[in-house]
Amino acid sequence: MTQEPRTPAPGPEPDPVAPSNRHRQGPVERVLDAEHRSTTDQHLLDTRGITEFVHTDPWRVLRIQSEFVEGFGTLAETGPAISVFGSARLRPGHPMYAAAEEVGRRLVQAGYAVITGGGPGIMEAANKGAAGAGGTSIGLGIELPFESRLNDYVTLGINFRYFFARKTMFVKYSQGFVVMPGGFGTFDELFEALTLVQTEKVTNFPVVLFGTSYWQGLVDWLRDQALAEGCINPVDVEMLQLSDDVDEVLDIMVNNRTPFLPSRRPVEG
């Protein structure tokens, strides 16, 4: 009797997520599909295709990283520096322009580099004073629709895409801040510095508000409203030092005259 050949029993279906179907792309491991079968090197070397990738978040991370690397590398050997903040709208002929120029000049004579936002107005004035005194006049510019270039008195400049990378450079490489009259950008830089001191993210450094008539209302509001409501502590207001005198500003910066600010950490026990 002839025996019919046996048909082999069907084996198990391939597991779509079995190890043979997995692929590692750098630190990422994924199940292969038609979209992800090429290699990273192939993507890098292939010049064909669409360019939307330059607008993706992973690509932005690389741009952000490059701004930090460029900033740290450029400013690492700057030496002691003071940042001067102020309005881009106060032009030559304004009393504060002349005062900022004098501040920049005197800071260089005292052995400091001067750091500004690199734009016009008060920033230009401080850079002008620093460059005229033969010092390092640093401009940390930012990509804005209404400021297209660094001012002519910057001797060392970096242009940033991202505000947070730029602000890190101000804080990391400055031993003090002179804050001239300004608008929202100046307020942002001022309160960024104050917040970092308040939260003990940085070592305490002097902050001078130059122009008593301009800044007194803000200090009064902080004391009469924010402090009175319990939103800040008394020592927070004391961080702000008011002055109309360039000599006094230099004394505060050179001698690192900062109000004694006890730790805000809660007392145990």
Side-chain angles (χ1 to χ4, degrees), residues 101-168:
E101 185 176 347
E102 177 68 5
V103 167
R105 182 178 67 82
R106 295 285 300 280
L107 286 171
V108 164
Q109 292 174 345
Y112 293 95
V114 171
I115 304 176
T116 80
I122 295 297
M123 296 173 281
E124 175 187 284
N127 286 133
K128 181 179 180 181
T136 302
S137 177
I138 299 170
L140 305 180
I142 185 70
E143 185 181 276
L144 294 175
F146 42 81
E147 288 179 26
S148 58
R149 55 186 292 274
L150 297 173
N151 68 67
D152 293 334
Y153 302 101
V154 169
T155 62
L156 178 63
I158 309 172
N159 278 302
F160 290 87
R161 280 189 174 93
Y162 301 100
F163 268 112
F164 53 85
R166 177 184 184 237
K167 287 196 287 187
T168 298

Side-chain angles (χ1 to χ4, degrees), residues 165-206:
R166 177 184 184 237
K167 287 196 287 187
T168 298
M169 303 306 149
F170 280 125
V171 173
K172 182 172 177 60
Y173 295 103
S174 298
Q175 280 71 55
F177 295 92
V178 181
V179 188
M180 312 288 288
F184 286 169
T186 303
F187 303 156
D188 177 51
E189 290 154 345
L190 167 62
F191 282 101
E192 172 86 6
L194 294 176
T195 300
L196 291 172
V197 174
Q198 182 198 53
T199 56
E200 299 184 10
K201 294 296 185 182
V202 297
T203 304
N204 192 19
F205 41 62

Side-chain angles (χ1 to χ4, degrees), residues 195-268:
T195 300
L196 291 172
V197 174
Q198 182 198 53
T199 56
E200 299 184 10
K201 294 296 185 182
V202 297
T203 304
N204 192 19
F205 41 62
V207 179
V208 176
L209 302 180
F210 192 91
T212 302
S213 63
Y214 188 85
W215 294 110
Q216 187 66 62
L218 172 63
V219 176
D220 291 343
W221 179 85
L222 289 171
R223 182 180 296 109
D224 298 339
Q225 298 296 325
L227 177 60
E229 292 290 340
C231 296
I232 59 175
N233 293 321
V235 292
D236 297 329
V237 183
E238 294 171 15
M239 285 191 285
L240 297 167
Q241 303 181 76
L242 289 163
S243 181
D244 294 306
D245 189 305
V246 175
D247 288 332
E248 183 180 26
V249 171
L250 265 292
D251 179 47
I252 292 171
M253 295 298 154
V254 171
N255 295 303
N256 192 32
R257 281 175 42 201
T258 57
F260 174 70
L261 301 177
S263 173
R264 295 169 174 78
R265 295 188 183 95
V267 178
E268 306 241 343

Side-chain angles (χ1 to χ4, degrees), residues 61-93:
V61 169
L62 296 179
R63 283 180 170 170
I64 292 166
Q65 181 184 41
S66 72
E67 292 203 345
F68 281 108
V69 170
E70 194 69 41
F72 292 154
T74 301
L75 301 175
E77 299 179 356
T78 296
I82 302 294
S83 285
V84 180
F85 300 139
S87 175
R89 306 182 187 194
L90 303 183
R91 304 297 177 137

